[in-house]
Amino acid sequence: MKDNRQMVHSPKNIENCCSLKALDCFQNSLKEDLNASDSKLYYSLGKSLTRQGIKFCDGKKTPESCQNCTSYSKENLTQFFSSLESLIQKSITRLSLNKKR
């Protein structure tokens, strides 16, 4: 991991229909800002299983109305990875709830 003082755009408070677009932002930051396009994390975020698990929408918002990557504030790497983890945990919880139904 690079210097924690590096600042990158970090999606936060992601609405349901914007989860996939936020995932793209995280992946783009890994590639462009952190030069980590050859990392396991970068590849994992692009896998179809990951993308299908994160792609969900409750119909209140359309993906077209989601924020673009550069509109999110820049955060240090600790916050960046914390926000990414939060998105993934939210998706796991949603998938678990759907499986119980």
Side-chain angles (χ1 to χ4, degrees):
M1 187 160 94
K2 294 193 178 229
D3 184 353
N4 188 46
R5 293 174 292 187
Q6 183 174 356
M7 305 294 276
V8 294
H9 293 284
S10 301
K12 284 187 170 183
N13 303 319
I14 303 161
E15 297 183 46
N16 287 346
C17 292
C18 298
S19 296
L20 195 54
K21 190 163 183 180
L23 180 69
D24 291 338
C25 292
F26 284 115
Q27 194 174 24
N28 186 57
S29 288
L30 284 169
K31 180 180 180 182
E32 302 295 327
D33 300 325
L34 303 176
N35 297 319
S37 61
D38 60 345
S39 70
K40 289 181 182 179
L41 176 59
Y42 178 82
Y43 285 114
S44 294
L45 296 180
K47 290 193 176 264
S48 61
L49 182 62
T50 304
R51 297 184 67 76
Q52 287 301 318
I54 287 180
K55 183 181 179 180
F56 55 94
C57 188
D58 61 9
K60 295 178 184 174
K61 189 169 187 166
T62 61
E64 294 79 27
S65 61
C66 300
Q67 289 180 256
N68 65 34
C69 295
T70 56
S71 66
Y72 289 107
S73 63
K74 285 190 171 188
E75 305 283 345
N76 66 35
L77 294 182
T78 301
Q79 286 300 120
F80 172 81
F81 286 112
S82 177
S83 295
L84 175 56
E85 179 182 25
S86 177
L87 174 62
I88 293 169
Q89 287 294 337
K90 182 178 175 183
S91 299
I92 290 170
T93 300
R94 182 192 64 82
L95 289 170
S96 296
L97 292 174
N98 284 348
K99 198 173 192 180
K100 291 179 182 178
R101 291 180 187 173

